[in-house]
Amino acid sequence: FKLINNNTNTVNTVKIDFSKDIEKGVGGSCRVTAIRAQIYWTVINFDKSIRSVIISVEGETETALQP
């Protein structure tokens, strides 16, 4: 997969946009939940002021990394 973009705004939120490749071969709610958690905690680890991480795939947040 490829990280397309990441943005941090003034309210301690990071938006991370991945290519659709991140969803290849990913299935099942437990696995998707684990991937989302890994992304979240990796971001938080780099900047403790971040409170929210928005994950999108090719700009789409509603269906990004859903089982």
Short mmCIF file of all heavy atoms in Angstrom, two decimals:
data_model
loop_
_atom_site.label_atom_id
_atom_site.label_comp_id
_atom_site.label_asym_id
_atom_site.label_seq_id
_atom_site.Cartn_x
_atom_site.Cartn_y
_atom_site.Cartn_z
N PHE A 1 0.84 -1.18 0.00
CA PHE A 1 0.00 0.00 0.00
C PHE A 1 0.87 1.24 0.00
O PHE A 1 2.07 1.17 0.27
CB PHE A 1 -0.96 0.00 1.20
CG PHE A 1 -0.30 0.13 2.53
CD1 PHE A 1 -0.11 1.38 3.07
CD2 PHE A 1 0.14 -0.97 3.23
CE1 PHE A 1 0.50 1.52 4.29
CE2 PHE A 1 0.74 -0.85 4.45
CZ PHE A 1 0.93 0.41 4.99
N LYS A 2 0.26 2.35 -0.25
CA LYS A 2 0.99 3.61 -0.35
C LYS A 2 0.24 4.68 0.43
O LYS A 2 -0.98 4.80 0.33
CB LYS A 2 1.07 4.00 -1.82
CG LYS A 2 1.68 5.33 -2.09
CD LYS A 2 1.70 5.57 -3.60
CE LYS A 2 1.74 7.03 -3.90
NZ LYS A 2 1.56 7.32 -5.31
N LEU A 3 0.97 5.43 1.24
CA LEU A 3 0.39 6.56 1.93
C LEU A 3 0.28 7.70 0.93
O LEU A 3 1.29 8.16 0.40
CB LEU A 3 1.26 6.97 3.12
CG LEU A 3 0.81 8.19 3.91
CD1 LEU A 3 -0.55 7.92 4.54
CD2 LEU A 3 1.83 8.53 4.97
N ILE A 4 -0.94 8.12 0.64
CA ILE A 4 -1.15 9.16 -0.36
C ILE A 4 -0.94 10.53 0.26
O ILE A 4 -0.30 11.40 -0.32
CB ILE A 4 -2.57 9.06 -0.96
CG1 ILE A 4 -2.70 7.74 -1.73
CG2 ILE A 4 -2.87 10.25 -1.86
CD1 ILE A 4 -4.09 7.47 -2.24
N ASN A 5 -1.46 10.72 1.46
CA ASN A 5 -1.41 12.05 2.06
C ASN A 5 -1.63 11.94 3.55
O ASN A 5 -2.26 11.01 4.03
CB ASN A 5 -2.49 12.93 1.43
CG ASN A 5 -2.31 14.40 1.74
OD1 ASN A 5 -1.28 14.81 2.26
ND2 ASN A 5 -3.30 15.18 1.40
N ASN A 6 -1.09 12.88 4.28
CA ASN A 6 -1.46 13.01 5.69
C ASN A 6 -1.51 14.49 6.03
O ASN A 6 -0.69 15.26 5.58
CB ASN A 6 -0.53 12.23 6.61
CG ASN A 6 0.87 12.81 6.69
OD1 ASN A 6 1.30 13.50 5.79
ND2 ASN A 6 1.56 12.51 7.74
N ASN A 7 -2.50 14.85 6.78
CA ASN A 7 -2.71 16.25 7.16
C ASN A 7 -2.97 16.33 8.65
O ASN A 7 -3.69 15.51 9.21
CB ASN A 7 -3.92 16.86 6.44
CG ASN A 7 -3.68 16.95 4.95
OD1 ASN A 7 -2.61 17.34 4.53
ND2 ASN A 7 -4.68 16.59 4.17
N THR A 8 -2.42 17.34 9.28
CA THR A 8 -2.71 17.62 10.68
C THR A 8 -3.34 19.00 10.74
O THR A 8 -2.83 19.94 10.14
CB THR A 8 -1.43 17.61 11.53
OG1 THR A 8 -0.76 16.38 11.34
CG2 THR A 8 -1.74 17.79 13.01
N ASN A 9 -4.47 19.11 11.43
CA ASN A 9 -5.08 20.43 11.54
C ASN A 9 -4.95 20.94 12.97
O ASN A 9 -4.30 20.32 13.80
CB ASN A 9 -6.54 20.41 11.05
CG ASN A 9 -7.43 19.53 11.89
OD1 ASN A 9 -7.14 19.30 13.05
ND2 ASN A 9 -8.51 19.05 11.32
N THR A 10 -5.57 22.04 13.26
CA THR A 10 -5.37 22.72 14.54
C THR A 10 -6.11 22.08 15.70
O THR A 10 -5.90 22.47 16.83
CB THR A 10 -5.80 24.19 14.43
OG1 THR A 10 -7.17 24.23 14.04
CG2 THR A 10 -4.94 24.93 13.43
N VAL A 11 -6.94 21.09 15.46
CA VAL A 11 -7.69 20.48 16.56
C VAL A 11 -7.13 19.10 16.92
O VAL A 11 -7.85 18.24 17.37
CB VAL A 11 -9.20 20.40 16.27
CG1 VAL A 11 -9.82 21.77 16.22
CG2 VAL A 11 -9.45 19.64 14.99
N ASN A 12 -5.84 18.91 16.70
CA ASN A 12 -5.16 17.67 17.08
C ASN A 12 -5.74 16.44 16.39
O ASN A 12 -5.87 15.38 16.99
CB ASN A 12 -5.16 17.48 18.59
CG ASN A 12 -4.45 18.62 19.29
OD1 ASN A 12 -3.59 19.26 18.73
ND2 ASN A 12 -4.82 18.87 20.52
N THR A 13 -6.08 16.60 15.14
CA THR A 13 -6.61 15.51 14.32
C THR A 13 -5.70 15.28 13.14
O THR A 13 -5.26 16.24 12.50
CB THR A 13 -8.03 15.83 13.82
OG1 THR A 13 -8.88 16.00 14.95
CG2 THR A 13 -8.57 14.73 12.94
N VAL A 14 -5.41 14.03 12.85
CA VAL A 14 -4.60 13.69 11.68
C VAL A 14 -5.49 12.91 10.72
O VAL A 14 -6.21 12.01 11.14
CB VAL A 14 -3.39 12.81 12.07
CG1 VAL A 14 -2.66 12.31 10.85
CG2 VAL A 14 -2.45 13.58 12.97
N LYS A 15 -5.43 13.28 9.45
CA LYS A 15 -6.13 12.52 8.42
C LYS A 15 -5.07 11.82 7.57
O LYS A 15 -4.18 12.47 7.04
CB LYS A 15 -7.00 13.41 7.54
CG LYS A 15 -7.71 12.61 6.48
CD LYS A 15 -8.63 13.46 5.62
CE LYS A 15 -9.31 12.55 4.61
NZ LYS A 15 -10.11 13.31 3.65
N ILE A 16 -5.20 10.51 7.47
CA ILE A 16 -4.25 9.71 6.70
C ILE A 16 -5.01 9.06 5.55
O ILE A 16 -6.01 8.38 5.77
CB ILE A 16 -3.59 8.64 7.57
CG1 ILE A 16 -2.88 9.30 8.75
CG2 ILE A 16 -2.62 7.81 6.77
CD1 ILE A 16 -2.30 8.34 9.72
N ASP A 17 -4.52 9.29 4.35
CA ASP A 17 -5.18 8.77 3.15
C ASP A 17 -4.28 7.73 2.50
O ASP A 17 -3.15 8.04 2.11
CB ASP A 17 -5.46 9.91 2.19
CG ASP A 17 -6.36 9.51 1.04
OD1 ASP A 17 -7.18 8.59 1.21
OD2 ASP A 17 -6.25 10.13 -0.03
N PHE A 18 -4.76 6.50 2.40
CA PHE A 18 -4.00 5.40 1.81
C PHE A 18 -4.52 5.08 0.42
O PHE A 18 -5.65 5.39 0.08
CB PHE A 18 -4.15 4.13 2.67
CG PHE A 18 -3.47 4.22 4.00
CD1 PHE A 18 -4.18 4.58 5.13
CD2 PHE A 18 -2.13 3.94 4.15
CE1 PHE A 18 -3.57 4.66 6.37
CE2 PHE A 18 -1.49 4.01 5.37
CZ PHE A 18 -2.22 4.37 6.48
N SER A 19 -3.67 4.42 -0.35
CA SER A 19 -4.13 3.91 -1.65
C SER A 19 -5.02 2.69 -1.39
O SER A 19 -5.01 2.11 -0.30
CB SER A 19 -2.94 3.51 -2.52
OG SER A 19 -2.29 2.38 -1.98
N LYS A 20 -5.76 2.27 -2.41
CA LYS A 20 -6.68 1.14 -2.25
C LYS A 20 -5.96 -0.17 -1.99
O LYS A 20 -6.56 -1.14 -1.54
CB LYS A 20 -7.59 1.02 -3.47
CG LYS A 20 -6.86 0.75 -4.76
CD LYS A 20 -7.80 0.74 -5.93
CE LYS A 20 -6.99 0.59 -7.22
NZ LYS A 20 -7.82 0.70 -8.38
N ASP A 21 -4.66 -0.20 -2.22
CA ASP A 21 -3.88 -1.42 -1.98
C ASP A 21 -3.90 -1.86 -0.52
O ASP A 21 -3.70 -3.04 -0.23
CB ASP A 21 -2.43 -1.23 -2.43
CG ASP A 21 -2.32 -1.05 -3.94
OD1 ASP A 21 -3.20 -1.54 -4.67
OD2 ASP A 21 -1.36 -0.40 -4.38
N ILE A 22 -4.14 -0.94 0.39
CA ILE A 22 -4.16 -1.31 1.81
C ILE A 22 -5.29 -2.29 2.12
O ILE A 22 -5.23 -3.04 3.07
CB ILE A 22 -4.24 -0.07 2.72
CG1 ILE A 22 -3.88 -0.46 4.16
CG2 ILE A 22 -5.60 0.59 2.66
CD1 ILE A 22 -3.67 0.68 5.09
N GLU A 23 -6.32 -2.29 1.29
CA GLU A 23 -7.46 -3.17 1.53
C GLU A 23 -7.37 -4.52 0.82
O GLU A 23 -8.23 -5.37 1.02
CB GLU A 23 -8.76 -2.46 1.14
CG GLU A 23 -9.03 -1.23 1.99
CD GLU A 23 -10.33 -0.56 1.64
OE1 GLU A 23 -10.64 -0.40 0.45
OE2 GLU A 23 -11.03 -0.19 2.60
N LYS A 24 -6.35 -4.72 0.04
CA LYS A 24 -6.21 -5.99 -0.68
C LYS A 24 -5.94 -7.12 0.30
O LYS A 24 -5.04 -7.04 1.13
CB LYS A 24 -5.07 -5.91 -1.70
CG LYS A 24 -5.41 -5.11 -2.91
CD LYS A 24 -4.30 -5.17 -3.93
CE LYS A 24 -4.69 -4.36 -5.16
NZ LYS A 24 -3.60 -4.33 -6.14
N GLY A 25 -6.73 -8.16 0.20
CA GLY A 25 -6.53 -9.33 1.05
C GLY A 25 -6.91 -9.13 2.50
O GLY A 25 -6.58 -9.95 3.34
N VAL A 26 -7.58 -8.04 2.80
CA VAL A 26 -7.98 -7.76 4.18
C VAL A 26 -9.45 -8.13 4.31
O VAL A 26 -10.30 -7.63 3.59
CB VAL A 26 -7.79 -6.27 4.52
CG1 VAL A 26 -8.32 -5.98 5.91
CG2 VAL A 26 -6.32 -5.90 4.42
N GLY A 27 -9.74 -9.02 5.22
CA GLY A 27 -11.12 -9.41 5.45
C GLY A 27 -11.34 -9.78 6.90
O GLY A 27 -10.40 -10.14 7.60
N GLY A 28 -12.53 -9.66 7.33
CA GLY A 28 -12.87 -10.01 8.70
C GLY A 28 -12.77 -8.82 9.63
O GLY A 28 -11.85 -8.03 9.54
N SER A 29 -13.73 -8.72 10.51
CA SER A 29 -13.80 -7.55 11.39
C SER A 29 -12.65 -7.48 12.37
O SER A 29 -12.16 -6.40 12.68
CB SER A 29 -15.13 -7.52 12.13
OG SER A 29 -15.29 -8.67 12.91
N CYS A 30 -12.17 -8.61 12.86
CA CYS A 30 -11.06 -8.60 13.81
C CYS A 30 -9.78 -8.09 13.16
O CYS A 30 -9.06 -7.28 13.73
CB CYS A 30 -10.82 -9.99 14.39
SG CYS A 30 -12.11 -10.51 15.53
N ARG A 31 -9.53 -8.55 11.96
CA ARG A 31 -8.31 -8.13 11.26
C ARG A 31 -8.36 -6.64 10.91
O ARG A 31 -7.39 -5.92 11.09
CB ARG A 31 -8.12 -8.96 10.01
CG ARG A 31 -6.82 -8.66 9.31
CD ARG A 31 -6.57 -9.60 8.17
NE ARG A 31 -5.34 -9.22 7.51
CZ ARG A 31 -4.47 -10.06 7.03
NH1 ARG A 31 -4.70 -11.35 7.10
NH2 ARG A 31 -3.39 -9.64 6.45
N VAL A 32 -9.49 -6.18 10.42
CA VAL A 32 -9.64 -4.76 10.07
C VAL A 32 -9.52 -3.90 11.32
O VAL A 32 -8.85 -2.86 11.30
CB VAL A 32 -10.99 -4.51 9.35
CG1 VAL A 32 -11.28 -3.04 9.21
CG2 VAL A 32 -10.98 -5.18 7.99
N THR A 33 -10.12 -4.32 12.40
CA THR A 33 -10.01 -3.58 13.67
C THR A 33 -8.57 -3.50 14.12
O THR A 33 -8.10 -2.46 14.58
CB THR A 33 -10.89 -4.24 14.75
OG1 THR A 33 -12.25 -4.22 14.30
CG2 THR A 33 -10.79 -3.50 16.07
N ALA A 34 -7.83 -4.59 13.98
CA ALA A 34 -6.42 -4.62 14.37
C ALA A 34 -5.59 -3.67 13.49
O ALA A 34 -4.72 -2.96 14.00
CB ALA A 34 -5.87 -6.04 14.28
N ILE A 35 -5.86 -3.65 12.21
CA ILE A 35 -5.12 -2.76 11.30
C ILE A 35 -5.40 -1.30 11.64
O ILE A 35 -4.49 -0.47 11.72
CB ILE A 35 -5.47 -3.06 9.83
CG1 ILE A 35 -4.91 -4.42 9.44
CG2 ILE A 35 -4.94 -1.96 8.91
CD1 ILE A 35 -5.39 -4.93 8.10
N ARG A 36 -6.67 -0.98 11.87
CA ARG A 36 -7.04 0.40 12.23
C ARG A 36 -6.37 0.80 13.54
O ARG A 36 -5.87 1.91 13.67
CB ARG A 36 -8.55 0.55 12.34
CG ARG A 36 -9.27 0.46 11.00
CD ARG A 36 -10.77 0.66 11.13
NE ARG A 36 -11.08 2.05 11.42
CZ ARG A 36 -11.25 2.99 10.49
NH1 ARG A 36 -11.13 2.68 9.22
NH2 ARG A 36 -11.52 4.22 10.83
N ALA A 37 -6.33 -0.11 14.50
CA ALA A 37 -5.68 0.17 15.79
C ALA A 37 -4.18 0.38 15.61
O ALA A 37 -3.60 1.28 16.23
CB ALA A 37 -5.95 -0.96 16.77
N GLN A 38 -3.55 -0.43 14.79
CA GLN A 38 -2.12 -0.26 14.54
C GLN A 38 -1.82 1.10 13.94
O GLN A 38 -0.85 1.76 14.34
CB GLN A 38 -1.60 -1.34 13.59
CG GLN A 38 -1.39 -2.67 14.25
CD GLN A 38 -0.83 -3.68 13.25
OE1 GLN A 38 -1.35 -3.82 12.15
NE2 GLN A 38 0.23 -4.34 13.64
N ILE A 39 -2.62 1.52 12.99
CA ILE A 39 -2.42 2.84 12.37
C ILE A 39 -2.59 3.93 13.42
O ILE A 39 -1.76 4.83 13.55
CB ILE A 39 -3.39 3.04 11.19
CG1 ILE A 39 -3.05 2.08 10.06
CG2 ILE A 39 -3.37 4.49 10.71
CD1 ILE A 39 -4.11 1.98 8.98
N TYR A 40 -3.66 3.84 14.18
CA TYR A 40 -3.94 4.85 15.22
C TYR A 40 -2.79 4.95 16.21
O TYR A 40 -2.27 6.04 16.47
CB TYR A 40 -5.24 4.50 15.95
CG TYR A 40 -5.52 5.41 17.12
CD1 TYR A 40 -6.13 6.64 16.94
CD2 TYR A 40 -5.17 5.04 18.42
CE1 TYR A 40 -6.37 7.48 18.01
CE2 TYR A 40 -5.41 5.87 19.50
CZ TYR A 40 -6.00 7.09 19.29
OH TYR A 40 -6.23 7.93 20.34
N TRP A 41 -2.39 3.84 16.78
CA TRP A 41 -1.35 3.87 17.81
C TRP A 41 0.02 4.25 17.26
O TRP A 41 0.83 4.85 17.96
CB TRP A 41 -1.30 2.55 18.57
CG TRP A 41 -2.50 2.43 19.47
CD1 TRP A 41 -3.54 1.57 19.32
CD2 TRP A 41 -2.81 3.23 20.61
NE1 TRP A 41 -4.49 1.79 20.29
CE2 TRP A 41 -4.05 2.81 21.10
CE3 TRP A 41 -2.16 4.27 21.26
CZ2 TRP A 41 -4.65 3.38 22.22
CZ3 TRP A 41 -2.76 4.84 22.37
CH2 TRP A 41 -3.99 4.39 22.84
N THR A 42 0.29 3.95 16.01
CA THR A 42 1.54 4.39 15.39
C THR A 42 1.57 5.91 15.29
O THR A 42 2.58 6.54 15.63
CB THR A 42 1.72 3.76 14.00
OG1 THR A 42 1.76 2.34 14.14
CG2 THR A 42 2.99 4.25 13.33
N VAL A 43 0.47 6.50 14.86
CA VAL A 43 0.40 7.96 14.76
C VAL A 43 0.52 8.60 16.13
O VAL A 43 1.29 9.54 16.32
CB VAL A 43 -0.92 8.40 14.07
CG1 VAL A 43 -1.12 9.90 14.17
CG2 VAL A 43 -0.92 7.95 12.62
N ILE A 44 -0.23 8.10 17.10
CA ILE A 44 -0.21 8.64 18.46
C ILE A 44 1.19 8.55 19.06
O ILE A 44 1.63 9.43 19.79
CB ILE A 44 -1.23 7.91 19.36
CG1 ILE A 44 -2.64 8.12 18.83
CG2 ILE A 44 -1.13 8.34 20.80
CD1 ILE A 44 -3.11 9.55 18.79
N ASN A 45 1.90 7.48 18.75
CA ASN A 45 3.24 7.29 19.28
C ASN A 45 4.20 8.40 18.84
O ASN A 45 5.11 8.76 19.58
CB ASN A 45 3.78 5.92 18.85
CG ASN A 45 5.04 5.55 19.56
OD1 ASN A 45 5.13 5.68 20.77
ND2 ASN A 45 6.02 5.09 18.81
N PHE A 46 4.00 8.93 17.65
CA PHE A 46 4.88 9.98 17.14
C PHE A 46 4.53 11.36 17.66
O PHE A 46 5.38 12.24 17.68
CB PHE A 46 4.88 9.99 15.61
CG PHE A 46 5.67 8.86 15.02
CD1 PHE A 46 5.03 7.77 14.49
CD2 PHE A 46 7.04 8.89 15.04
CE1 PHE A 46 5.75 6.71 13.96
CE2 PHE A 46 7.78 7.84 14.51
CZ PHE A 46 7.13 6.75 13.97
N ASP A 47 3.30 11.58 18.05
CA ASP A 47 2.89 12.90 18.53
C ASP A 47 1.78 12.73 19.57
O ASP A 47 0.64 12.46 19.24
CB ASP A 47 2.40 13.76 17.36
CG ASP A 47 2.11 15.19 17.75
OD1 ASP A 47 2.00 15.50 18.97
OD2 ASP A 47 1.98 16.03 16.84
N LYS A 48 2.13 12.90 20.81
CA LYS A 48 1.19 12.68 21.92
C LYS A 48 0.05 13.71 21.95
O LYS A 48 -0.94 13.52 22.64
CB LYS A 48 1.92 12.70 23.26
CG LYS A 48 3.03 11.68 23.37
CD LYS A 48 2.50 10.27 23.38
CE LYS A 48 3.65 9.32 23.66
NZ LYS A 48 3.56 8.06 23.03
N SER A 49 0.18 14.81 21.21
CA SER A 49 -0.90 15.82 21.20
C SER A 49 -2.05 15.41 20.27
O SER A 49 -3.14 15.97 20.36
CB SER A 49 -0.36 17.18 20.76
OG SER A 49 -0.01 17.17 19.39
N ILE A 50 -1.82 14.43 19.41
CA ILE A 50 -2.87 13.96 18.49
C ILE A 50 -3.94 13.22 19.28
O ILE A 50 -3.65 12.34 20.08
CB ILE A 50 -2.29 13.04 17.40
CG1 ILE A 50 -1.24 13.77 16.59
CG2 ILE A 50 -3.39 12.48 16.51
CD1 ILE A 50 -1.74 14.98 15.84
N ARG A 51 -5.18 13.57 19.05
CA ARG A 51 -6.31 12.95 19.76
C ARG A 51 -7.21 12.15 18.84
O ARG A 51 -7.96 11.28 19.29
CB ARG A 51 -7.14 14.02 20.47
CG ARG A 51 -6.38 14.76 21.54
CD ARG A 51 -6.10 13.84 22.70
NE ARG A 51 -5.25 14.51 23.67
CZ ARG A 51 -4.09 14.03 24.10
NH1 ARG A 51 -3.65 12.88 23.67
NH2 ARG A 51 -3.38 14.69 24.97
N SER A 52 -7.16 12.44 17.55
CA SER A 52 -8.05 11.77 16.62
C SER A 52 -7.31 11.46 15.33
O SER A 52 -6.53 12.29 14.84
CB SER A 52 -9.25 12.68 16.33
OG SER A 52 -10.10 12.09 15.39
N VAL A 53 -7.55 10.26 14.80
CA VAL A 53 -6.95 9.85 13.54
C VAL A 53 -8.07 9.45 12.59
O VAL A 53 -8.87 8.57 12.91
CB VAL A 53 -5.97 8.67 13.74
CG1 VAL A 53 -5.39 8.23 12.40
CG2 VAL A 53 -4.86 9.03 14.72
N ILE A 54 -8.15 10.12 11.46
CA ILE A 54 -9.14 9.81 10.44
C ILE A 54 -8.44 9.03 9.34
O ILE A 54 -7.48 9.52 8.74
CB ILE A 54 -9.78 11.08 9.87
CG1 ILE A 54 -10.47 11.86 10.99
CG2 ILE A 54 -10.75 10.74 8.74
CD1 ILE A 54 -10.92 13.25 10.58
N ILE A 55 -8.91 7.82 9.10
CA ILE A 55 -8.30 6.95 8.09
C ILE A 55 -9.19 6.95 6.86
O ILE A 55 -10.40 6.72 6.96
CB ILE A 55 -8.13 5.52 8.64
CG1 ILE A 55 -7.22 5.54 9.86
CG2 ILE A 55 -7.60 4.59 7.56
CD1 ILE A 55 -7.20 4.23 10.62
N SER A 56 -8.58 7.22 5.72
CA SER A 56 -9.33 7.16 4.47
C SER A 56 -8.56 6.35 3.44
O SER A 56 -7.35 6.17 3.55
CB SER A 56 -9.61 8.57 3.93
OG SER A 56 -8.42 9.24 3.61
N VAL A 57 -9.30 5.82 2.49
CA VAL A 57 -8.71 5.09 1.37
C VAL A 57 -9.15 5.80 0.10
O VAL A 57 -10.34 5.87 -0.20
CB VAL A 57 -9.15 3.61 1.36
CG1 VAL A 57 -8.60 2.90 0.14
CG2 VAL A 57 -8.69 2.90 2.64
N GLU A 58 -8.17 6.37 -0.59
CA GLU A 58 -8.42 7.14 -1.80
C GLU A 58 -9.48 8.21 -1.56
O GLU A 58 -10.38 8.43 -2.36
CB GLU A 58 -8.80 6.23 -2.95
CG GLU A 58 -7.81 5.10 -3.13
CD GLU A 58 -7.06 5.12 -4.45
OE1 GLU A 58 -7.51 5.81 -5.36
OE2 GLU A 58 -6.03 4.45 -4.52
N GLY A 59 -9.39 8.87 -0.39
CA GLY A 59 -10.29 9.97 -0.05
C GLY A 59 -11.59 9.57 0.60
O GLY A 59 -12.32 10.40 1.12
N GLU A 60 -11.90 8.29 0.64
CA GLU A 60 -13.18 7.79 1.18
C GLU A 60 -12.99 7.35 2.64
O GLU A 60 -12.22 6.45 2.92
CB GLU A 60 -13.68 6.62 0.34
CG GLU A 60 -14.99 6.05 0.79
CD GLU A 60 -16.12 7.05 0.71
OE1 GLU A 60 -16.23 7.76 -0.30
OE2 GLU A 60 -16.90 7.10 1.67
N THR A 61 -13.72 7.99 3.54
CA THR A 61 -13.61 7.63 4.95
C THR A 61 -14.68 6.65 5.42
O THR A 61 -14.43 5.85 6.33
CB THR A 61 -13.69 8.90 5.85
OG1 THR A 61 -14.92 9.57 5.59
CG2 THR A 61 -12.52 9.81 5.60
N GLU A 62 -15.85 6.71 4.82
CA GLU A 62 -16.97 5.89 5.27
C GLU A 62 -16.75 4.39 5.08
O GLU A 62 -17.17 3.58 5.90
CB GLU A 62 -18.27 6.31 4.57
CG GLU A 62 -18.73 7.69 4.94
CD GLU A 62 -19.07 7.83 6.40
OE1 GLU A 62 -19.73 6.93 6.96
OE2 GLU A 62 -18.67 8.86 7.00
N THR A 63 -16.11 4.03 4.00
CA THR A 63 -15.93 2.60 3.71
C THR A 63 -14.48 2.14 3.88
O THR A 63 -14.15 0.99 3.59
CB THR A 63 -16.38 2.29 2.26
OG1 THR A 63 -15.61 3.08 1.35
CG2 THR A 63 -17.86 2.57 2.08
N ALA A 64 -13.63 3.02 4.36
CA ALA A 64 -12.21 2.68 4.51
C ALA A 64 -12.00 1.61 5.57
O ALA A 64 -12.47 1.73 6.70
CB ALA A 64 -11.41 3.93 4.89
N LEU A 65 -11.33 0.55 5.17
CA LEU A 65 -10.99 -0.56 6.07
C LEU A 65 -12.21 -1.08 6.84
O LEU A 65 -12.21 -1.20 8.05
CB LEU A 65 -9.88 -0.17 7.04
CG LEU A 65 -8.50 0.01 6.42
CD1 LEU A 65 -7.53 0.58 7.42
CD2 LEU A 65 -7.98 -1.32 5.88
N GLN A 66 -13.23 -1.40 6.11
CA GLN A 66 -14.43 -2.02 6.70
C GLN A 66 -14.43 -3.50 6.34
O GLN A 66 -14.01 -3.88 5.27
CB GLN A 66 -15.70 -1.36 6.15
CG GLN A 66 -15.83 0.08 6.55
CD GLN A 66 -15.93 0.28 8.04
OE1 GLN A 66 -16.65 -0.44 8.72
NE2 GLN A 66 -15.21 1.25 8.56
N PRO A 67 -14.93 -4.35 7.26
CA PRO A 67 -14.95 -5.79 6.99
C PRO A 67 -15.91 -6.17 5.88
O PRO A 67 -16.81 -5.48 5.55
CB PRO A 67 -15.39 -6.41 8.31
CG PRO A 67 -15.88 -5.30 9.16
CD PRO A 67 -15.44 -4.02 8.55
#
